[in-house]
Amino acid sequence: MRWRESSDPAMNRLLVIGTGLIGGSFALATRKAGCFSHIDGHDSDASAAAAALRLGHIDAVAPDLSAAIAAADLVLVAVPVATVASMVRRVCESNRTATVIDAGSVKGSLLEELRRSGAMPPRFVPSHPMAGSEKRGPEAANAGLFRDRPVILTPQPETDPHALARAREWWSATGARVVETSAAIHDEMVALTSHLPHLIAYAFMNWVGKPHGGVPADFAGPGLNDFTRIAASDAAMWRRILSGNRAAVLAQYDGLAASMNRFVELLRSERFDELETLLAQAQATRLRMIEAGGQPDD
Amino acid sequence: MRWRESSDPAMNRLLVIGTGLIGGSFALATRKAGCFSHIDGHDSDASAAAAALRLGHIDAVAPDLSAAIAAADLVLVAVPVATVASMVRRVCESNRTATVIDAGSVKGSLLEELRRSGAMPPRFVPSHPMAGSEKRGPEAANAGLFRDRPVILTPQPETDPHALARAREWWSATGARVVETSAAIHDEMVALTSHLPHLIAYAFMNWVGKPHGGVPADFAGPGLNDFTRIAASDAAMWRRILSGNRAAVLAQYDGLAASMNRFVELLRSERFDELETLLAQAQATRLRMIEAGGQPDD
């Protein structure tokens, strides 16, 4: 048995719901790879959809979302975390063959929400591309955003193997490296590697802003710039991410707080030899991360 | 009355003590600007001096440090923080006309140490270029390191105006923007903008390294990479900087800890509206910093 989609992959149709940074970059990358014969776009913000059309990310702004959903072979739901579940449900109920992916930063709360509202849709392949920018919107999109970046898939027991295979193919076409893990491991790891650094960078900027009214330009070096870059990220989006992954973020914060206290207590009590040992361990971990990470260090 | 130095600026001689990243970059930049007729280099690590010679940073490795000091018009003391004071004292006592600058990250403890060991040398102009890298050594040096970066001078009541003027000229020749402030303000501001971020980034890497054995490459995104880049910095150097500016770093940490606690308590108690308000304030401060900072955001 075959699915409805054309055996010629270039005859497939993509619908991007949410034509911002992620949606636009996915459209550009799969267009470059020749994956789709047509790319529809939809955004609750009409000006974002119009910009995506003007910038050539999409072929058309879907005038009727239901019709565009019905016609699609792949639907990328790239909307704010809080609305992913209801949109995935709507898409999967109106199109019984399309593969559906998202790009949300939190998986556990999304999957719980889907389970609470009915059966897990088998053609939904939960996806999180580990790529992004503190910049947002269609203007920030680029075809290379996912290149050599991991995309984490967290398929469920109900997930259809065919849909999973198609999701893997299409993500791979963007240049991304596809990885599978559980939602729990995903959420713990992103709490550590992304959500916690954002929380700290935001808290740092508020401390800088409070007593000092901002950093005098003369003292803002490249180290500070890199350390706080992620605090330029959208506050409303990060409210949703932090609240969506609340338990994992709090657990990781407790671990970090203990580590910070050890450093500070050694500095306070002038135990500089022990402090240097901790600094050297941290440096070694960071150097290992650079070697392992495939992440350029400059 | 004129000083000994030639009225032809290109006839001046530079001695760089410590031929690493800062010393090598200063030599390259002032060579490009035609400031000196001859550049001597000295390093307690003979291989670093040899590398600086091989890489064309310096014209000669000073075989006799005392003779090179005596012949210099400008001496850059770019040695570890803990040995700056004794080297500055030695240089100023063996050469009664040269201008002497350093590049140390902490000013209060250096100046105290100098005052404890005798009179403040009038031709020493305490200097801190707000430029650097987590990389070290002659290989990391480049002529553009100081370009458009602030250099903070913290002249003392005893500082000779002529030496201050020369120091300003020579730093300006590297492309740096010269700023003057007090040692106390300098130390407070670098505690906030540089030393505290380093401490947090090191503590973060130790928390990452401890339970997780490092970050799986699949979860190390560009945000994490930027946030922790400074934790690749040399542990021995940062032990000296943190201990040298201990009181100011601890004071800034207390402020940051209060800010982090506010964020975490709002997340813990699910007060997401208030959390978003703090996130938005932080984002606004960061965006203002980018606008004000002359620091590129990418």
Side-chain angles (χ1 to χ4, degrees):
Chain A
M1 193 201 98
R2 295 292 298 153
W3 290 67
R4 188 196 64 151
E5 71 225 5
S6 169
S7 58
D8 175 0
M11 292 303 291
N12 287 319
R13 293 173 70 99
L14 166 66
L15 168 62
V16 173
I17 304 179
T19 58
L21 170 69
I22 298 293
S25 297
F26 187 87
L28 284 169
T30 52
R31 177 186 299 286
K32 215 169 161 181
C35 296
F36 300 104
S37 60
H38 183 86
I39 302 180
D40 273 325
H42 171 85
D43 202 295
S44 61
D45 172 0
S47 71
L53 183 63
R54 191 177 67 242
L55 292 163
H57 303 170
I58 57 176
D59 297 311
V61 176
D64 173 355
L65 179 56
S66 297
I69 291 173
D73 298 286
L74 176 68
V75 179
L76 166 61
V77 177
V79 301
V81 166
T83 52
V84 172
S86 58
M87 186 58 84
V88 165
R89 175 72 66 202
R90 173 177 173 185
V91 170
C92 290
E93 288 184 350
S94 11
N95 180 327
R96 297 284 167 177
T97 56
T99 299
V100 182
I101 55 178
D102 74 325
S105 310
V106 185
K107 288 290 168 265
S109 52
L110 165 66
L111 294 168
E112 270 171 41
E113 195 183 339
L114 276 170
R115 287 188 195 286
R116 269 200 309 272
S117 67
M120 181 62 60
R123 282 164 296 98
F124 172 52
V125 182
S127 307
H128 180 203
M130 300 297 291
S133 168
E134 75 283 7
K135 306 201 181 74
R136 298 186 75 205
E139 292 73 17
N142 69 86
L145 187 69
F146 307 115
R147 192 173 303 135
D148 299 325
R149 301 298 314 142
V151 171
I152 317 290
L153 307 187
T154 61
Q156 298 299 295
E158 300 89 339
T159 305
D160 182 285
H162 182 77
L164 178 57
R166 300 313 308 263
R168 294 187 70 104
E169 275 168 43
W170 279 316
W171 276 120
S172 298
T174 68
R177 191 159 45 79
V178 177
V179 179
E180 282 180 34
T181 189
S182 72
I185 289 177
H186 169 274
D187 285 359
E188 184 194 344
M189 293 311 300
V190 294
L192 174 66
T193 63
S194 170
H195 305 173
L196 183 58
H198 275 81
L199 189 71
I200 302 304
Y202 280 118
F204 184 86
M205 284 317 302
N206 268 22
W207 166 235
V208 163
K210 183 130 290 181
H212 306 282
V215 170
D218 296 335
F219 289 93
L224 179 73
N225 192 56
D226 281 1
F227 183 74
T228 61
R229 181 179 62 79
I230 49 181
S233 306
D234 185 68
M237 184 172 94
W238 277 91
R239 171 237 181 104
R240 288 187 296 260
I241 293 173
L242 294 170
S243 57
N245 203 21
R246 178 176 158 275
V249 172
L250 290 173
Q252 293 298 332
Y253 177 77
D254 289 343
L256 173 63
S259 176
M260 290 189 296
N261 282 338
R262 269 182 31 249
F263 277 79
V264 167
E265 282 318 309
L266 292 177
L267 183 59
R268 207 181 294 276
S269 55
E270 307 192 32
R271 289 152 68 189
F272 300 132
D273 288 339
E274 290 163 80
L275 177 63
E276 184 174 339
T277 301
L278 286 190
L279 294 172
Q281 286 168 356
Q283 185 193 11
T285 302
R286 164 65 203 191
L287 294 174
R288 274 204 312 280
M289 187 178 91
I290 296 169
E291 283 162 22
Q295 191 48 230
D297 189 39
D298 43 21
Chain B
M1 193 202 100
R2 294 293 297 151
W3 292 67
R4 188 198 64 150
E5 74 225 4
S6 169
S7 59
D8 175 2
M11 292 302 292
N12 287 320
R13 291 174 70 100
L14 166 66
L15 168 63
V16 173
I17 303 180
T19 59
L21 170 69
I22 298 292
S25 297
F26 187 88
L28 283 170
T30 51
R31 176 187 300 287
K32 216 169 160 181
C35 295
F36 300 105
S37 59
H38 183 87
I39 302 180
D40 274 324
H42 172 85
D43 201 295
S44 60
D45 172 1
S47 71
L53 183 63
R54 192 179 64 243
L55 293 163
H57 303 169
I58 57 176
D59 297 309
V61 176
D64 173 355
L65 180 57
S66 297
I69 290 173
D73 298 287
L74 175 68
V75 179
L76 167 60
V77 177
V79 301
V81 167
T83 52
V84 172
S86 60
M87 186 57 84
V88 165
R89 175 75 64 203
R90 172 177 173 186
V91 170
C92 290
E93 287 183 352
S94 8
N95 179 328
R96 298 286 169 178
T97 57
T99 298
V100 182
I101 57 178
D102 74 326
S105 310
V106 184
K107 288 292 169 263
S109 53
L110 165 66
L111 294 168
E112 270 170 41
E113 195 183 338
L114 276 170
R115 286 189 196 287
R116 270 200 309 272
S117 67
M120 182 60 61
R123 281 164 297 98
F124 171 53
V125 182
S127 306
H128 180 202
M130 301 296 291
S133 168
E134 75 283 8
K135 306 202 180 73
R136 296 187 75 205
E139 291 74 17
N142 70 85
L145 187 69
F146 307 115
R147 194 172 302 136
D148 299 326
R149 301 298 314 143
V151 171
I152 316 289
L153 308 186
T154 60
Q156 299 299 295
E158 300 89 338
T159 305
D160 182 284
H162 181 77
L164 177 58
R166 300 312 308 265
R168 294 186 71 104
E169 275 169 42
W170 278 316
W171 275 120
S172 298
T174 68
R177 191 160 45 80
V178 178
V179 179
E180 282 180 35
T181 190
S182 71
I185 288 177
H186 169 274
D187 285 359
E188 183 194 343
M189 293 311 299
V190 293
L192 174 66
T193 62
S194 170
H195 305 174
L196 183 58
H198 275 81
L199 189 71
I200 302 304
Y202 279 118
F204 184 87
M205 284 317 303
N206 268 22
W207 166 235
V208 164
K210 181 130 291 182
H212 306 281
V215 170
D218 296 335
F219 289 93
L224 180 73
N225 191 57
D226 281 1
F227 184 73
T228 61
R229 181 180 61 79
I230 49 181
S233 306
D234 184 70
M237 183 171 97
W238 277 91
R239 171 237 182 103
R240 289 188 294 261
I241 292 172
L242 294 171
S243 58
N245 203 20
R246 178 176 159 276
V249 172
L250 290 172
Q252 294 298 333
Y253 177 77
D254 289 342
L256 174 63
S259 176
M260 291 188 296
N261 283 337
R262 268 181 33 246
F263 277 78
V264 167
E265 282 318 309
L266 292 177
L267 183 59
R268 206 181 295 278
S269 55
E270 308 193 30
R271 288 151 70 189
F272 300 133
D273 288 339
E274 290 163 80
L275 178 63
E276 185 175 339
T277 302
L278 285 191
L279 294 171
Q281 286 168 356
Q283 184 192 12
T285 302
R286 164 66 202 191
L287 294 173
R288 274 204 312 278
M289 187 178 91
I290 297 168
E291 284 163 20
Q295 191 49 228
D297 189 38
D298 42 23

